[in-house]
């Protein structure tokens, strides 16, 4: 998703801006650019290739300056094309970079054309640039405030005027923007990662804020134009991702990091304690009588797995909602709900909006399970649990998913304990299972050669079905999501019991069906569903626990996992599916870490 970096300094800032873009590359983008203030007119370099290519172009142009803005673009309005790459200029005076979507760009465009502005891109951002130009009479902050007052939708922008060499203005509504404070220099960025190495002092702007930056500092005003002080925070950046080492891709590396990531995430869960979720959660946890889990994509699927834990372990009613749906609904709410937002990035626009919607509906008890300490979600909730996956670079989420599951399991067990439905004995058993989990995950990862053999067969297919039951339905859904997003093979998942109500019509000898078959209470039902597939000539690829007695045979391939791992079994079953997607994608030659059209941090609606 679009990434912004801006700087106003007394030294050449182009290397800092380019480095900032490199650090934002993980978010996903299709073009990039950088612009600097120069006497006469602003200058810019843009590229349809990677940031490294942009760096070469900028060097060839000898691009340098004391004030500048830079951007990685993830197309929303207008194809990925050079003329749509940011920074966008208005009349060689105003330069803008933007993350978000301007919903009323069409009427504004018509109005601006009527005033003589010429549009050279298909972007909604060009409307912003021309609007600021139209309002500009020598005071950039005033122009930005006047222009943004007319915008509907979401935006984070960084802007400079070529008439004010040592000034940069930022504004945000709905999309993230952070101010960085350096020594004799000031920065703007989409997230703190972009400024690693430049500063560790940050101010997180709030919706409606505008920031006026010079090398000597920043002044912030709120939506009404009042000068406000926002707290400055010192942010210790997470460890850099380091080299790929023996791995070909970050996704592969991150899959294999899962045993350690899960171990680190649960290390602090000793003993299961409300302190995990920050002080004073005990009273509130006592007061809640149901749970609402909100997330998108993979994070939503972790909520779907956890639903089973909250019901069976904590004996609490649970709702799991896709954040982009919940945010537009008017559900019947209860004041005794614990609202849990689940997110790797903590910046996903739909999940943040769903959280705000829940808060606006009166929910007080909010908790974030998130992998980025300095994220908007961690700041916006009352309680939080930081997963310890470390930085996740691959666009396809892997270690964030399993660490979210570990955190959700701890939460369910903690709530069960508080509610008196988990005995001390059961708690000790859960603790033991958590302790044994990393080793069990390692044992499953050792099965990679068998998964590669499957990938060689499935990579040739255009469609794959996934089946599961109970918590493993969410694992089947996650397996299908992984496969489609990185290998571009069409994959869908169904509850195994639903097969006969429709999807069975798709099953032929050309339709591989991947099945998650834990040795739980539903395994006999699942075996019947597998027979339904076999009877139609379908090919089965079954991930089965030792003890299920599912034997390989004609049209039936089986990978055997360690014995059933109880409630945490889903964490084991997802690993072969991640590996399957990864190896199928490698065989098909896709860009595994940066699949087409996708972004790591989805900061637009
Ligand atoms: C899929 C994937 C996405 C994310 C989703 C939510 O592999 O990564 O489906 O899970 O975009 O992102 P976060 O967890 O950052 O809120």
């Amino acid at each position: 998703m679009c990434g912004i970096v801006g700087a106003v300094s007394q030294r050449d800032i182009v290397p800092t801006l380019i480095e900032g873009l490199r650090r934002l590359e993980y978010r996903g983008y299709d073009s990039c650019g950088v612009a600097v203030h120069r006497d006469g007119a602003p200058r810019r370099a843009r590229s349809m290739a990677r940031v490294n290519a942009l760096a070469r172009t900028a060097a060839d142009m000898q691009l340098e300056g004391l004030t500048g803005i830079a951007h990685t673009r993830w197309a929303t309005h207008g194809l990925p094309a050079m003329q749509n790459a940011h920074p966008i200029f208005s009349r060689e005076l105003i330069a803008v970079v933007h993350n978000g979507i301007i919903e009323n760009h069409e009427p504004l465009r018509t109005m601006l054309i009527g005033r003589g502005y010429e549009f050279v891109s298909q972007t909604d951002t060009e409307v912003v640039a021309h609007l600021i130009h139209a309002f500009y009479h020598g005071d950039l902050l005033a122009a930005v405030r006047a222009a943004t007052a007319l915008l509907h939708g979401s935006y984070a922008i960084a802007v400079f005027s070529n008439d004010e060499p040592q000034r940069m203005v930022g504004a945000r509504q709905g999309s993230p923007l952070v101010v960085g404070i350096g020594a004799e220099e000031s920065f703007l960025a989409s997230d703190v990662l972009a400024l690693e190495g430049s500063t560790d002092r940050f101010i997180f702007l709030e919706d409606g804020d505008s920031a006026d930056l010079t090398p000597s500092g920043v002044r912030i005003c709120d939506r009404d134009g009042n000068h406000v002080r926002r707290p400055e925070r010192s942010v210790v950046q997470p460890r850099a991702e380091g080299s790929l080492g023996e791995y070909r891709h970050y996704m592969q590396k991150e899959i294999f990091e899962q045993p350690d990531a899960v171990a680190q995430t649960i290390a602090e869960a000793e003993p299961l304690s409300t302190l995990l979720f920050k002080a004073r959660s005990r009273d509130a946890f006592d007061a809640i009588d149901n749970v609402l889990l909100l997330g998108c994509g993979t994070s939503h699927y972790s909520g779907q797995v956890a639903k089973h834990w909250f019901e069976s372990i904590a004996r609490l009613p649970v709702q799991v909602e896709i954040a982009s749906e919940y945010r537009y609904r008017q559900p019947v709410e209860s004041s005794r709900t614990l609202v849990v937002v689940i997110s790797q990035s903590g910046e996903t626009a739909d999940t943040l909006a769903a959280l705000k919607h829940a808060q606006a509906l009166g929910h007080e008890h909010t908790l974030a399970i998130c992998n980025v300490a300095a994220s908007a979600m961690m700041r916006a909730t009352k309680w939080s649990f930081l997963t310890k996956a470390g930085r996740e670079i691959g666009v396809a989420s892997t270690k964030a998913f399993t660490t979210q599951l570990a955190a959700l399991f701890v939460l369910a067990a903690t709530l069960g304990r508080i509610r008196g439905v988990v005995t001390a004995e059961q708690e000790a058993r859960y603790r033991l299972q958590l302790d044994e989990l990393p080793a069990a995950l390692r044992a499953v990862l050792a099965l990679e050669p068998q998964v590669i053999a499957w990938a060689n067969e499935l990579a040739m297919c255009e469609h794959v079905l996934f089946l599961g039951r109970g918590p493993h339905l969410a694992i089947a859904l996650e397996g299908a999501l992984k496969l489609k997003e990185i290998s571009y093979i069409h994959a869908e998942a169904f509850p195994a019991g639903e097969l006969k109500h429709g999807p069975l019509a798709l099953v032929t000898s050309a339709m591989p069906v991947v099945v998650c078959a834990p040795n739980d209470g539903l395994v006999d039902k699942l075996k019947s569903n597998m027979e339904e597939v076999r009877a139609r000539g379908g090919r089965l690829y079954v991930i089965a626990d030792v003890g299920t007695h599912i034997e390989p045979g004609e049209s039936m391939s089986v990978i055997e996992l360690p014995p059933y791992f109880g409630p945490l079994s889903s964490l084991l079953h997802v690993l072969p599916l991640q590996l399957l997607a990864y190896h199928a994608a490698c065989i098909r030659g896709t860009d595994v870490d940066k699949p087409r059209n996708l972004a790591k941090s989805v900061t637009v609606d």
Side-chain angles (χ1 to χ4, degrees):
M1 203 94 330
C2 300
I4 290 174
V5 201
V8 51
S9 178
Q10 288 172 353
R11 63 181 171 109
D12 174 27
I13 40 68
V14 172
T16 304
L17 295 178
I18 299 271
E19 187 51 33
L21 291 187
R22 279 203 187 95
R23 294 182 189 283
L24 293 177
E25 276 192 298
Y26 78 96
R27 294 162 74 101
Y29 66 105
D30 44 56
S31 59
C32 48
V34 53
V36 289
H37 170 274
R38 298 302 296 168
D39 286 343
R43 291 189 77 208
R44 72 184 156 194
R46 295 188 284 182
S47 170
M48 295 303 296
R50 296 274 153 204
V51 172
N52 279 342
L54 176 71
R56 282 194 294 276
T57 310
D60 291 347
M61 291 170 62
Q62 298 184 325
L63 195 75
E64 49 186 51
L66 307 182
T67 302
I69 54 180
H71 191 258
T72 47
R73 175 172 189 254
W74 186 81
T76 58
H77 292 64
L79 290 173
M82 198 64 113
Q83 79 272 14
N84 292 331
H86 300 206
I88 300 283
F89 287 175
S90 178
R91 295 189 179 168
E92 303 282 293
L93 178 68
I94 301 294
V96 178
V97 289
H98 165 223
N99 170 17
I101 291 177
I102 307 303
E103 287 164 4
N104 58 337
H105 70 101
E106 279 176 4
L108 290 173
R109 182 181 282 252
T110 308
M111 182 269 283
L112 287 160
I113 290 171
R115 291 212 189 169
Y117 283 95
E118 194 190 333
F119 281 79
V120 293
S121 78
Q122 288 78 49
T123 63
D124 50 347
T125 305
E126 196 171 2
V127 162
V128 182
H130 290 325
L131 262 187
I132 294 172
H133 184 280
F135 284 113
Y136 185 67
H137 305 292
D139 180 351
L140 187 59
L141 179 67
V144 167
R145 286 189 30 76
T148 52
L150 299 183
L151 303 179
H152 299 168
S154 60
Y155 55 82
I157 54 173
V159 189
F160 72 80
S161 156
N162 217 56
D163 278 356
E164 295 180 84
Q166 286 277 267
R167 191 179 194 190
M168 174 172 66
V169 169
R172 70 156 288 195
Q173 174 64 44
S175 301
L177 193 64
V178 60
V179 171
I181 301 162
E184 293 300 307
E185 53 190 3
S186 306
F187 306 94
L188 285 169
S190 294
D191 73 41
V192 297
L193 293 179
L195 299 177
E196 189 179 353
S198 296
T199 183
D200 57 5
R201 295 167 60 202
F202 295 97
I203 296 172
F204 294 92
L205 296 178
E206 294 186 8
D207 274 349
D209 282 355
S210 310
D212 191 0
L213 296 97
T214 61
S216 53
V218 55
R219 286 190 321 149
I220 297 171
C221 44
D222 66 11
R223 192 184 305 280
D224 301 320
N226 304 313
H227 286 288
V228 285
R229 287 181 67 83
R230 301 283 180 224
E232 184 186 312
R233 293 165 197 252
S234 164
V235 176
V236 181
Q237 302 270 5
R239 226 170 359 99
E241 69 273 12
S243 70
L244 279 171
E246 67 196 275
Y247 299 104
R248 273 177 72 191
H249 297 98
Y250 282 109
M251 181 181 177
Q252 186 188 27
K253 181 170 183 255
E254 288 160 4
I255 289 173
F256 280 88
E257 281 171 355
Q258 290 177 105
D260 290 342
V262 166
Q264 278 155 23
T265 297
I266 57 183
E268 291 171 22
E270 178 74 73
L272 300 181
S273 147
T274 51
L275 286 179
L276 286 172
F277 304 96
K278 301 256 175 79
R280 290 198 301 283
S281 52
R282 168 81 209 207
D283 291 349
F285 282 5
D286 265 341
I288 66 127
D289 67 5
N290 72 96
V291 178
L292 170 63
L293 302 169
L294 298 168
C296 297
T298 291
S299 296
H300 168 245
Y301 292 147
S302 66
Q304 285 206 10
V305 174
K307 175 183 168 72
H308 296 267
W309 295 331
F310 287 106
E311 282 175 355
S312 62
I313 296 174
R315 302 299 299 143
L316 280 165
V318 192
Q319 259 179 283
V320 190
E321 299 266 0
I322 295 174
S324 58
E325 289 294 319
Y326 174 81
R327 61 180 287 195
Y328 298 114
R329 296 215 337 267
Q330 290 300 317
V332 179
E333 303 289 1
S334 142
S335 61
R336 303 187 66 188
T337 305
L338 177 65
V339 179
V340 183
V341 283
I342 309 164
S343 175
Q344 188 285 128
S345 61
E347 298 289 349
T348 301
D350 281 320
T351 312
L352 268 173
L355 171 64
K356 285 185 187 153
H357 185 57
Q359 286 166 331
L361 291 170
H363 287 295
E364 286 176 35
H365 310 311
T366 57
L367 187 153
I369 291 185
C370 186
N371 196 38
V372 179
S375 63
M377 254 172 252
M378 294 292 265
R379 294 193 302 276
T381 48
K382 208 165 183 181
W383 304 294
S384 55
F385 187 119
L386 181 66
T387 50
K388 298 283 171 50
R391 200 175 285 177
E392 195 178 59
I393 302 289
V395 162
S397 196
T398 52
K399 60 179 179 170
F401 179 66
T402 39
T403 53
Q404 283 168 356
L405 289 179
L408 285 159
F409 182 81
V410 170
L411 177 61
T414 306
L415 289 173
R417 192 83 178 102
I418 290 171
R419 292 166 53 74
V421 292
V422 168
T423 62
E425 246 174 31
Q426 277 167 325
E427 182 181 350
R429 234 184 5 256
Y430 293 148
R431 184 64 252 177
L432 192 66
Q433 277 170 345
L434 283 169
D435 288 345
E436 289 172 350
L437 183 57
L441 295 172
R442 273 187 206 102
V444 176
L445 290 171
L447 301 172
E448 187 183 29
Q450 294 179 52
V451 182
I452 295 174
W454 280 15
N456 278 314
E457 296 178 25
L458 294 181
M460 305 306 150
C461 301
E462 284 311 313
H463 309 276
V464 179
L465 291 186
F466 287 72
L467 299 179
R469 277 178 174 267
H472 296 75
L473 166 60
I475 298 304
L477 286 159
E478 171 62 3
L481 176 63
K482 287 286 96 89
L483 188 66
K484 75 180 98 170
E485 74 177 319
I486 60 165
S487 75
Y488 315 149
I489 295 171
H490 173 221
E492 300 299 337
F494 296 96
E498 276 292 291
L499 202 57
K500 55 191 172 297
H501 298 291
L504 197 54
L506 295 170
V507 173
T508 66
S509 57
M511 177 63 87
V513 180
V514 178
V515 186
C516 288
N519 197 13
D520 61 10
L522 296 170
V523 70
D524 290 332
K525 298 277 173 212
L526 197 68
K527 284 179 183 172
S528 308
N529 303 136
M530 283 163 33
E531 286 312 315
E532 290 161 10
V533 172
R534 279 182 110 179
R536 271 86 192 167
R539 283 186 291 142
L540 286 162
Y541 293 82
V542 188
I543 297 165
D545 295 347
V546 165
T548 49
H549 304 296
I550 298 172
E551 306 299 336
E554 179 71 17
S555 301
M556 170 98 101
S557 180
V558 180
I559 293 180
E560 229 171 40
L561 299 198
Y564 178 57
F565 206 72
L568 289 163
S569 161
S570 47
L571 281 94
L572 270 55
H573 273 256
V574 78
L575 302 190
L577 300 186
Q578 294 170 345
L579 286 169
L580 180 63
Y582 171 73
H583 286 292
C586 288
I587 293 163
R588 288 167 72 102
T590 61
D591 190 351
V592 173
D593 283 333
K594 297 188 176 73
R596 69 184 178 206
N597 307 339
L598 298 181
K600 183 70 185 160
S601 188
V602 186
T603 51
V604 294
D605 293 354

